Amino acid sequence: MKKHKKNRNVAIIGIGQTHHSSHREDVNQPEMIHEAVERALKDAGIGIEDVDALVHGNMELFEMVHQPDLWHVIGTGGYGKACYRVTTGGTTGATIVGVGDNIVASGLHDIVMIIGFEKQQEGHTTGGITNMADPLWARNLQTGALTGATAEKTINEFGADRAKRAAMRLRVTLDKHASLNPHAHRNFGLDYDQIDDLMVNSPQLVGELRLIHMCSQSDGAVAIILACEEKAKKISKKPVWIRDHVTVHREETFNMFGINENQEVTHHNAARKLFGRNGITNPREYFDVFEMYDPSSWWGLDWLREFLQLEGDEHLKMVENDEVSINGSFPLNPSGGVISTNPIGATAALRVAEAALQVRGDAGAHQIPREVKHALASGFGGTFWTVLFMLEKDLDWQEAE
Amino acid sequence: MAKYFDVSVEDIFNTMEARFRVEGAKGVNAVLAYDISGDGGGKWLVEVRDDSVKVAKTDDLSGFSVKTSADAETFVGVNIGKIDGTQAFMSGKIKIEGDMALVAASAKMFTRYSLPKKSAVTVQGIFDTLVARFQPQNAAGLDISVGYDITGEDGGQWTAVIKDGKCALETGLRDNCAVVNIVKAKDYIDLILGKLDPMVAMGAGRLKLKGDMNVAMQLPKIFAKFEPPKEEEEQELIVIKRNISVDMKYSTGPVMGKFFEGLIEKKILANKCPKCGRMQVPPREVCAECRCWAGDMIEVGPSGTITLIEIIYYSSPDPLTGETRETPYAQVHILLDGIGTEETFWHLLKNEDLADTKKGDRVRPVWSDKRVGSVHDIIHFERIRD
């Protein structure tokens, strides 16, 4: 496979996120965004005048505001700047980082700030997601983002008890991670001795997808500042390099929950491409941490297999043996993940932001207890629209080529 | 009785009938059962019948529509807003059995329990300001002690010593008081705030004066009126509410249009990729795999085999009507006869078939009498049982 080559290197030099909660009625949209923008600029140690361009994204169907970037200018500081507006459903947050990566790498702009946000309490999340479906057919049948298909598939493959136990174990692990993250929206104080109880008693949403398995609806925003190599080295003591990212999606509107098990899902495809063109043969060995967009524990469990290109029941074992816990050999979502915090337009960008904080060693209480050199972060949305990022601590991979 | 946040479980249930909102219970016929564990807990049945409610403590919770189980502290905390209900529910501290939707609906059926409002004015607070309220110009030449014997909860005894145009307050009652006011704490506060007339209070024996009545009559002059501290009003955040309702129309195009036309004639049409032979239903302009124009329309089904059944318990709004769907209902993915091996058709399953239908079962469409070319031309799929 052809090696990936960037026109110029791009680094993350500033990260800012708001406190996330189900209700941010204390602020309006531009004010909430401003909190993240201010923190990102402070983190980078630069002023808004140093930023050349903005990339702004969310899912318009949630708040029903057209071109919110214009209203938000007082919060973003985007007045008179090049501004790009991006919306790709749940993936939005990852796509805006991807756009930022591309326009800095291209040489078009030196310093770009990406901003993802959502105020989900202002609209109706399930209604918004349902209206994303094509109006001719699927909209009449869609139930938001809820499906029990992955639960059923996993149960059929590994047996009900083992599958349910693994999904719930992952849920509890991520709740424990969320309790370490002061920005996280929800943590319930769950413990492993509740697994048997929750497996049976948490209310069912669709099939074996239960309420406790499903992600939250949050209000919040994140801003990330990207810079070209020259500027990044001048401005930042701890730049985190975006080595590569890949976007994969496919026409699956009609049969995304169909039965063709031989069809490669976008996550697997994205990971295969990204690892292939960067010479990563054993992702589980290579990456020190993975911030995955995990909308439910069933998906989180199943997608571990897809992203890491695992065979058989390896992904279940990783959960059962606590390898995915913050102290394990392959920490998954030390931030608590999407399942704890989900302001949708910001969610996928938060994966990149949290992965970058891990690389910097600045994650605080949820910093994994060993050096992080290589991080993986994924975005998901639409009907299997995948974006996958590789972050690096050292700018040393080109020399190896 | 064990109290949590100053409220007992009994308090919540004993006030429930008074907190009932007729307008919030229209059309509701349900029995809500509560199993509250721990100190102060118990079992209660709340029977809502359209415009009436009956709350009863019981040992037998059978026949409920929905049952809520929680420990006493969690139950009280959630009811008075000290504990987040969703959080408690998600973490398993509250368990719900039966019709979940009723729990959400019950929030509309009852106003929230609020603590009996305690007056911000206290007896102590009144005496704290007594010296400051002293009016020396109206007490010239006076050399007296005035006693206050405030009885009951939050009461106490004080003596105001007035001499040389000055006033000092002591706790306890001096023996040489010219007059002693004897009154219950609650009545004293009402007297001071002007809510209780002194003559009425005396007539009813709620205010007793021991000693010189004339001194007592002068007291409103000697001390200025007590001004209660202004209560800080909780600031309400202004939120603008909007309900957007828009009429939309979507073109179907020549390919989907033909498919919808087929439905009017009770036919399910798929198209076939001329390159890979894959079938698509509903048909699309191009083959999703080969990216070439998809070809001829071929009638498939209408019967087929279920490959995936999704039973939906979460009441999701129907985007076309905005109404919440009744749960549970099931969506099915069906491999229609003649379609090949992978392209499933997505539709609903007849509710009556929900209980015993599984993957691999055969189904057929139930056609609507009024077919207009829409997804609803098929009401649902039903199990073939013959």
Side-chain angles (χ1 to χ4, degrees), chain B residues 234-254:
Chain B
E234 214 171 285
Q235 194 190 353
E236 194 180 325
L237 300 172
I238 297 171
V239 174
I240 293 171
K241 291 189 177 167
R242 287 279 178 275
N243 191 353
I244 300 175
S245 172
V246 191
D247 286 326
M248 307 293 295
K249 51 182 184 179
Y250 299 100
S251 306
T252 57

Side-chain angles (χ1 to χ4, degrees), chain A residues 154 157-158 166 284 300-306 310-320 324:
Chain A
T154 312
E157 194 174 347
F158 301 104
R284 215 169 132 187
L301 182 67
D302 186 53
W303 295 355
L304 208 51
R305 166 158 72 177
E306 302 295 347
L310 301 174
E311 303 280 336
D313 64 350
E314 277 301 302
H315 57 308
L316 264 73
K317 282 188 196 154
M318 284 178 77
V319 172
E320 287 161 351
V324 293

